[in-house]
Amino acid sequence: MPRAPYPDNWSDIDTALYKRSVKVFSSVKKMLSVKLKLHADTQVQQGDIFLFNHFSRFETFIPQYLIYEKTGAYSCAIASGEFFQGDTVLARYLRNVGVFPHDHPRLFPLLAEQILRGRKVIVFPEGGMVKDRRVMDHKGHYSVYSRLTGERRKHHTGPAVLAQGLEAFKATIRNAYTDKNYDQLLRWKEDLHLDSLDQLLTAALKPTLIIPSNITFYPIRSDENLLLTSVELFADGLNLRQTEELLIEGNIMLKNTDMDVRMGAPVDPYKVWHWWNRYLLGMVASEFRTLDEVFALHARPRNWKQKMLGSYFKKSAAATRNQYMEEIYANVTINLSHLASTLIMHCIETGQQQIERQRFFTILYIAVKHLQNNTKINLHRSLLNPADYSDLIAGTSKRFEQFISVAIKNGLILEYEDYYQFLPKLQEEHDFDNIRLENLIAVYDNEAEPITAVRKTMIKAMAEYDHVDPQKLAAWHFDDERRDLSWERHLYSKAHFDDINEQETATADPMPFFLRPEHGNGIGVLLIHGLLASPAETRSYGEYLAKQGYTVMGVRLKGHGSSPYALRDQSWRDWYSSVQRGFNILKAHCKRIFVTGFSTGAAMALKLASENHAEIIGITAIAVPLKFINSTFMLVPLLHGTNKLVGWVSAYEGVKRFIENVPENPTINYRHTPIRSLYELRLLIEDMDEVLPLINTPVLVIYADQDPIVSVKSAQELFEKLGAPRKQLKIINADRHGILLHNLGNTWEMVDDFMAGCIDETNKDESGQRRINKFNLYPLPESSR
């Protein structure tokens, strides 16, 4: 049965219905497991025509919502004509919220009218879902798969045609103003339903801007989901296309997925025009009376000038199309799966059928660090936040594990203890509707292909791996530590943390520090600050040590120097991981290392010493908190348990989340102590019973006799439990806790003497080992070579 003809005009947007639809979508979005992030500056306000890559039906609801949320502007869109057959509820709804059928004979004039009224137009120029992400051919040209032909074709030029038709009509309006043709101007004002001639002129003076935009989902999953299961209950057999879309799109909606929407640089079609285009337009602009005449320029020109202009417009549309398609794909949000897939496919292309696991991890890490300095590439936040990528080298990255587990499940890779083997399936061709299920590595590689710097960086990282300098790696790890603080501060700077943050007084620089002396002695010192403080607590002492020739690393315990809320979310093992990372950075520069910790940092130093690292030649533990002056500390486990219980059974976070305190050093320490952190400190103290007997390294223990926080009774208990054969205990006269920061009782000089003695003993030991080795009595241990 033939389709009923569309009316020449189309109903305007029902703004009340549009607003209700936005509210409904907002509610639905909150229920879905999609973390939506818009990356745009002024493009949302500037743009008229917004172009999006399109590979999921779910995302078609997103642009209208984002634009309205940011600007309050209404948007029009285009849908398949099949949805407008008959006077159905769906057809009426789509018409009333600004959706037009793709096959309406007046589509371009209708959309142009909407733009002149101040509306936005949203287009998915690919015309179909790009499932394989293959948008470039072997010559580097952009194309898209066509379901009609089963082949690839150039993208449609529709958005470019719409934009340049608008520019031509705007020129016509401007000419009418110049010629004072007010009768014509008034007719246009009435036809466009504008309030005034000034509004018409304003629309004519504004350049028509196309905003190329990219939507990237991460990760892409293909496992079973609730949506597919529900549909299967009511559908008698799904075809491959339906199953694939439910698997992929259901996981986007129902599982934890990041959705990054990036708006690129605006494309102005007028700037693509040759001067001859503009000259011809000036000659024929006064001949146009309606938008329909403008858009009929190529098909039904009235004279040779219009015919020639139409021919030039066709060429200009193709040039504009190429420009905005390149910009769309330049705004892919690159993630770890893109990098891993690019590396794998490059290995296969160069004849490598396997890769060592450690090589794989390290190359990926090197590439991440290089790409972070490339401002032209859009990196997913997980490649900017060290908490997500810094464990790559250790092979414990959760994001990498997710990627590799999918690859193994799909039969693309085999995993062995020391290497990964690439399987033949990686190089097989797959059906368009099947590739996301069968070969996600190819999909990720295709999506990243337009970003040529990604492949070049991966190749560079592969070459660099073979001669990477350990100190270069250490410098990158140190950069990660500094980045980690920046991310932490950003994360906990949101308004709902203000109740505590606004009362904080710490202004001293909390960044971790690495100090290299002008004339080094080859020995390193690792400094670890106390609870509630930051590296600022050990900075002045570190500078004192650097002047003596020591290389100094001041670590930042996770959760410190940012917000008490950040500290509340960390365990003592998170703090200790910070210490281990700092130690690894320092040992890339020094083969002999002292570790000095204060208070909680001292407990961390002792735990590190219990692992008996060959590089550590001495430990200074100052004011280790085994016993406390305030006996109410014993109630912390009870209060923490109550907080957890309340958090489990209600939306309220706990009966008492923080304890306010008056710090000795208000420019360094938090004023609020999380109950959870005190509980974690108790767990760390309990761990000391197992740690202390294992220590073989020389230890200096220092306490203040009148410490207002840590009881001096801790000193003897700690000293007796220490397994170190060489240990010293010093009690100084001081009534403050921060004896290291303020060098009370000549603490720094005490540590100087201790370190000098350790150095002498180490030199004697090494000298003796060399003499013994000269006579081949036994070989040197590996760590001494």
Side-chain angles (χ1 to χ4, degrees):
M1 182 176 179
R3 181 177 300 169
Y6 297 118
D8 286 343
N9 292 316
W10 203 253
S11 56
D12 196 13
I13 293 174
D14 182 337
T15 56
L17 177 62
Y18 195 103
K19 291 176 182 177
R20 289 199 299 273
S21 300
V22 168
K23 288 182 179 178
V24 169
F25 179 78
S26 179
S27 300
V28 171
K29 184 176 74 73
K30 292 176 182 177
M31 293 187 291
L32 302 177
S33 297
V34 180
K35 290 179 284 187
L36 175 60
K37 189 167 183 63
L38 173 64
H39 307 267
D41 295 321
T42 59
Q43 298 99 314
V44 186
Q45 289 78 18
Q46 293 175 328
D48 299 293
I49 303 170
F50 292 80
L51 310 184
F52 291 85
N53 65 314
H54 180 37
F55 54 86
S56 157
R57 288 186 176 86
F58 167 66
E59 75 196 37
T60 59
F61 300 99
I62 300 293
Q64 290 93 324
Y65 169 77
L66 288 176
I67 290 173
Y68 184 83
E69 184 180 52
K70 294 294 181 182
T71 68
Y74 301 103
S75 299
C76 302
I78 305 168
S80 174
E82 64 184 290
F83 294 116
F84 297 89
Q85 295 182 37
D87 187 25
T88 64
V89 173
L90 177 60
R92 290 196 299 271
Y93 172 78
L94 292 175
R95 288 181 56 142
N96 288 327
V97 293
V99 181
F100 293 80
H102 80 286
D103 54 355
H104 195 292
R106 295 190 64 241
L107 179 61
F108 284 162
L110 289 173
L111 293 175
E113 288 175 5
Q114 292 291 328
I115 293 173
L116 288 168
R117 292 175 194 166
R119 315 287 203 228
K120 313 285 188 181
V121 170
I122 292 166
V123 183
F124 293 89
E126 292 171 348
M129 293 188 293
V130 176
K131 296 182 177 183
D132 58 6
R133 311 294 200 277
R134 190 181 301 169
V135 296
M136 297 184 76
D137 60 25
H138 65 282
K139 295 181 180 179
H141 298 149
Y142 290 94
S143 62
V144 65
Y145 177 81
S146 170
R147 288 191 183 278
L148 294 176
T149 65
E151 298 177 350
R152 297 194 170 274
R153 58 161 174 78
K154 281 285 187 182
H155 298 84
H156 293 306
T157 57
V161 171
L162 174 60
Q164 67 181 12
L166 260 170
E167 280 299 310
F169 191 68
K170 288 177 179 179
T172 302
I173 296 172
R174 294 193 295 269
N175 280 358
Y177 266 95
T178 302
D179 297 340
K180 299 182 180 179
N181 189 351
Y182 295 118
D183 289 340
Q184 180 63 66
L185 291 170
L186 287 170
R187 281 193 293 273
W188 284 332
K189 180 187 83 70
E190 295 301 322
D191 290 344
L192 294 170
H193 306 288
L194 301 179
D195 296 330
S196 66
L197 289 180
D198 287 342
Q199 190 176 354
L200 179 65
L201 179 59
T202 299
L205 291 174
K206 181 188 181 301
T208 305
L209 296 181
I210 301 172
I211 308 297
S213 309
N214 186 287
I215 300 176
T216 312
F217 287 111
Y218 177 58
I220 305 170
R221 299 184 182 89
S222 60
D223 48 325
E224 293 285 336
N225 62 67
L226 181 62
L227 183 60
L228 174 64
T229 304
S230 301
V231 172
E232 285 179 332
L233 290 175
F234 300 98
D236 186 16
L238 298 173
N239 62 38
L240 175 62
R241 177 180 175 181
Q242 293 168 330
T243 301
E244 189 266 359
E245 290 173 4
L246 286 170
L247 280 171
I248 302 297
E249 295 165 29
N251 283 315
I252 287 172
M253 291 186 288
L254 303 176
K255 296 192 177 180
N256 191 20
T257 305
D258 288 346
M259 179 179 180
D260 287 273
V261 181
R262 292 188 183 274
M263 293 186 174
V267 173
D268 185 347
Y270 187 78
K271 292 182 179 179
V272 176
W273 291 356
H274 190 270
W275 69 269
W276 184 241
N277 296 48
R278 298 169 188 169
Y279 177 73
L280 274 176
L281 179 59
M283 292 175 63
V284 303
S286 59
E287 300 175 5
F288 299 130
R289 293 292 178 267
T290 65
L291 280 164
D292 293 81
E293 291 178 8
V294 173
F295 287 105
L297 188 63
H298 181 69
R300 296 185 300 278
R302 294 180 176 179
N303 52 50
W304 69 270
K305 291 179 292 185
Q306 289 192 11
K307 184 176 182 179
M308 186 173 291
L309 183 61
S311 177
Y312 279 120
F313 270 6
K314 185 176 181 180
K315 293 178 181 179
S316 297
T320 300
R321 183 266 318 277
N322 294 342
Q323 186 178 351
Y324 62 60
M325 293 313 301
E326 182 175 347
E327 186 69 17
I328 283 178
Y329 293 109
N331 279 283
V332 170
T333 302
I334 297 296
N335 56 56
L336 183 61
S337 294
H338 289 128
L339 302 186
S341 298
T342 300
L343 177 56
I344 290 169
M345 299 308 286
H346 176 73
C347 286
I348 292 173
E349 290 165 10
T350 55
Q352 302 176 57
Q353 298 303 317
Q354 63 184 45
I355 188 170
E356 295 174 2
R357 286 165 57 94
Q358 191 58 53
R359 181 184 178 87
F360 198 175
F361 303 148
T362 307
I363 288 172
L364 287 174
Y365 178 78
I366 292 172
V368 169
K369 296 309 294 181
H370 282 309
L371 289 171
Q372 286 175 345
N373 296 321
N374 191 329
T375 57
K376 295 181 180 180
I377 293 180
N378 302 307
L379 294 181
H380 186 267
R381 48 200 166 275
S382 62
L383 297 183
L384 296 170
N385 182 358
D388 279 317
Y389 70 80
S390 62
D391 52 2
L392 261 174
I393 288 186
T396 57
S397 168
K398 292 181 179 178
R399 290 185 181 272
F400 181 84
E401 288 173 2
Q402 188 273 337
F403 166 82
I404 210 71
S405 65
V406 171
I408 293 170
K409 179 182 177 182
N410 288 353
L412 303 172
I413 288 177
L414 284 178
E415 182 179 30
Y416 294 94
E417 184 176 356
D418 297 323
Y419 67 95
Y420 294 109
Q421 181 180 341
F422 308 136
L423 298 179
K425 186 178 177 181
L426 277 166
Q427 296 174 279
E428 294 175 2
E429 288 291 327
H430 295 279
D431 182 83
F432 185 72
D433 289 316
N434 201 34
I435 190 167
R436 290 194 294 184
L437 299 177
E438 297 294 337
N439 192 351
L440 270 177
I441 289 178
V443 173
Y444 278 120
D445 180 55
N446 288 338
E447 190 171 38
E449 186 179 8
I451 316 298
T452 56
V454 170
R455 185 168 293 264
K456 290 179 180 178
T457 301
M458 295 308 306
I459 295 172
K460 177 183 177 181
M462 288 183 73
E464 193 171 345
Y465 171 81
D466 294 324
H467 54 270
V468 65
D469 181 0
Q471 292 190 7
K472 179 64 175 177
L473 280 174
W476 280 330
H477 292 319
F478 180 66
D479 178 65
D480 291 341
E481 293 302 300
R482 295 176 66 85
R483 284 176 177 268
D484 188 56
L485 173 59
S486 298
W487 270 88
E488 196 174 281
R489 295 174 97 172
H490 171 73
L491 180 63
Y492 291 94
S493 64
K494 297 173 183 176
H496 56 275
F497 299 121
D498 285 349
D499 61 325
I500 295 295
N501 289 347
E502 289 182 348
Q503 300 179 55
E504 293 301 311
T505 59
T507 56
D509 183 6
M511 277 287 179
F513 58 86
F514 187 84
L515 306 176
R516 300 193 71 169
E518 186 175 350
H519 303 290
N521 58 17
I523 299 174
V525 181
L526 186 70
L527 299 180
I528 313 170
H529 65 79
L531 187 65
L532 307 182
S534 76
E537 185 174 57
T538 60
R539 179 78 194 216
S540 57
Y541 179 53
E543 291 171 349
Y544 166 81
L545 292 171
K547 289 178 181 178
Q548 299 181 58
Y550 293 103
T551 300
V552 185
M553 173 75 201
V555 302
R556 181 189 76 94
L557 302 183
K558 188 78 173 169
H560 292 77
S562 54
S563 164
Y565 276 104
L567 182 57
R568 190 182 63 140
D569 289 341
Q570 312 303 321
S571 70
W572 74 265
R573 296 190 183 278
D574 295 324
W575 305 338
Y576 186 59
S577 293
S578 302
V579 173
Q580 291 174 308
R581 291 193 298 271
F583 174 66
N584 288 332
I585 291 170
L586 187 57
K587 74 178 184 180
H589 295 268
C590 306
K591 297 305 178 187
R592 294 190 292 179
I593 293 174
F594 287 102
V595 183
T596 296
F598 170 71
S599 194
T600 300
M604 296 282 171
L606 292 169
K607 181 165 181 63
L608 186 66
S610 71
E611 297 172 1
N612 293 310
H613 296 279
E615 295 87 353
I616 299 178
I617 61 174
I619 300 289
T620 301
I622 303 172
V624 185
L626 292 189
K627 296 182 179 298
F628 294 86
I629 298 297
N630 189 344
S631 59
T632 58
F633 185 69
M634 300 300 294
L635 300 177
V636 165
L638 176 62
L639 189 52
H640 174 67
T642 303
N643 281 345
K644 288 182 67 176
L645 178 63
V646 172
W648 287 334
V649 300
S650 74
Y652 186 56
E653 292 184 88
V655 293
K656 192 176 183 64
R657 296 170 294 166
F658 297 94
I659 295 175
E660 188 170 356
N661 66 287
V662 180
E664 280 188 351
N665 306 290
T667 62
I668 294 175
N669 297 91
Y670 290 150
R671 293 184 68 248
H672 294 82
T673 308
I675 292 296
R676 194 268 175 94
S677 300
L678 294 177
Y679 176 73
E680 293 294 334
L681 177 57
R682 280 192 62 88
L683 297 179
L684 174 61
I685 293 170
E686 291 172 5
D687 189 65
M688 288 292 99
D689 285 339
E690 296 182 14
V691 163
L692 295 175
L694 303 177
I695 298 173
N696 294 323
T697 310
V699 179
L700 170 63
V701 178
I702 304 177
Y703 280 87
D705 60 354
Q706 300 175 60
D707 189 322
I709 296 175
V710 175
S711 172
V712 71
K713 295 178 182 178
S714 304
Q716 196 60 43
E717 179 179 337
L718 174 72
F719 194 73
E720 290 175 358
K721 291 180 179 179
L722 271 173
R726 288 182 286 182
K727 54 185 178 180
Q728 301 177 36
L729 174 60
K730 302 286 186 181
I731 307 294
I732 65 169
N733 178 242
D735 59 0
R736 299 185 67 177
H737 181 56
I739 57 177
L740 179 65
L741 172 64
H742 301 289
N743 191 23
L744 300 180
N746 295 320
T747 300
W748 295 1
E749 289 78 1
M750 284 184 186
V751 181
D752 285 346
D753 293 341
F754 168 72
M755 291 197 298
C758 290
I759 292 170
D760 287 342
E761 290 295 325
T762 302
N763 288 338
K764 289 177 183 178
D765 291 343
E766 289 182 352
S767 177
Q769 291 286 358
R770 285 193 293 271
R771 286 195 299 273
I772 294 171
N773 194 57
K774 182 178 179 179
F775 296 100
N776 295 319
L777 295 181
Y778 59 83
L780 278 170
E782 186 69 30
S783 60
S784 300
R785 293 176 184 172

